[in-house]
Amino acid sequence: MTELPDEPTGAPPDELSTVAPRLRDLRRRSGLTLETAAPLVGLSPAHLSRLETGRRQPSLPMLLALARTYGTTVSDLLGETAAERDPIVRAGRAEPSEAGGWTYWTAGGAGRAMQALRVLVPQRAQGDLVRVHPGEEWLYVLKGRLRLTLGPAVQVLEPGDAAHFDSLTPHRISAASQGGVELLFVHTLLQSGAAELCLGGDDTRRRGL
């Protein structure tokens, strides 16, 4: 399995500044070495080490895969875990984060079995990325048009349309409208010992999610 290409080098954005030490701490807390943890997310130990030391920035798919592997959430990786579990998420308190070209806002509480996000997907962002992983996903289109590929089937969803599917089905999410697409996105956080797959735009490229 060939790993995902590196993200651009340089100083990470402020919202990702806490990810590197959190990744290292969560891996050690899980009793995993770099050599045992890296294959679970389709990375080399050297690439995972670069993520843990802040020399590379993780994409959103990488953050999702790492969160599943360590049994946590992207919010926790970003250091957004609240001291007390509050069932209400106020609009004014949701800060945007960006990874892999997507902008997203946490729309659910930390430490839950499901993670809810509001996501803005620009046109052509990660359009060739096909994901395969354990769990379920639900999405609801707020603005724009969404192109959703599930296995061999391709659907275009309009505002108000929703989809709910088993995420072991190879799936691809991309914007079908020039201004991008905004959606609500909910997925389950299921930990898996199997390597989770992310397939490139053609069948000859296989990359770890």
Side-chain angles (χ1 to χ4, degrees):
M1 178 183 295
T2 303
E3 66 183 85
L4 277 168
D6 290 339
E7 293 295 303
T9 58
D14 290 343
E15 61 268 17
L16 294 178
S17 62
T18 62
V19 172
R22 289 288 295 151
L23 289 179
R24 183 180 60 251
D25 292 345
L26 285 169
R27 174 179 58 77
R28 291 174 175 175
R29 204 177 305 167
S30 300
L32 298 172
T33 65
L34 283 169
E35 289 71 21
T36 55
L40 299 180
V41 288
L43 301 176
S44 68
H47 194 152
L48 182 56
S49 176
R50 289 194 292 270
L51 294 178
E52 291 186 357
T53 54
R55 287 179 290 163
R56 289 292 182 271
Q57 299 175 25
S59 64
L60 179 55
M62 278 187 187
L63 289 175
L64 293 173
L66 288 162
R68 282 191 296 270
T69 298
Y70 299 145
T72 186
T73 65
V74 171
S75 296
D76 189 33
L77 290 181
L78 294 173
E80 297 173 354
T81 305
E84 295 182 4
R85 182 173 289 181
D86 188 345
I88 307 301
V89 180
R90 300 292 182 185
R93 296 171 59 186
E95 295 292 331
S97 298
E98 186 172 343
W102 291 7
T103 302
Y104 61 99
W105 297 258
T106 299
R112 300 288 185 178
M114 297 187 300
Q115 184 166 20
L117 302 169
R118 179 165 62 92
V119 183
L120 176 62
V121 181
Q123 194 176 33
R124 293 183 295 275
Q126 301 183 21
D128 65 343
L129 207 59
V130 180
R131 300 173 178 86
V132 181
H133 54 85
E136 295 182 35
E137 293 186 19
W138 175 89
L139 56 86
Y140 178 91
V141 180
L142 296 171
K143 297 178 183 178
R145 301 167 72 233
L146 173 73
R147 181 178 293 106
L148 175 64
T149 303
L150 292 174
V154 180
Q155 305 283 348
V156 175
L157 280 65
E158 305 283 348
D161 291 342
H164 188 175
F165 53 91
D166 186 330
S167 47
L168 281 174
T169 303
H171 52 285
R172 177 187 294 144
I173 296 172
S174 61
S177 50
Q178 193 170 25
V181 60
E182 186 174 346
L183 60 138
L184 292 177
F185 174 78
V186 178
H187 69 94
T188 55
L189 293 167
L190 295 182
Q191 194 167 350
S192 171
E196 295 165 349
L197 297 179
C198 185
L199 312 180
D202 61 70
D203 292 339
T204 63
R205 291 188 300 160
R206 290 176 177 266
R207 303 181 294 182
L209 181 63

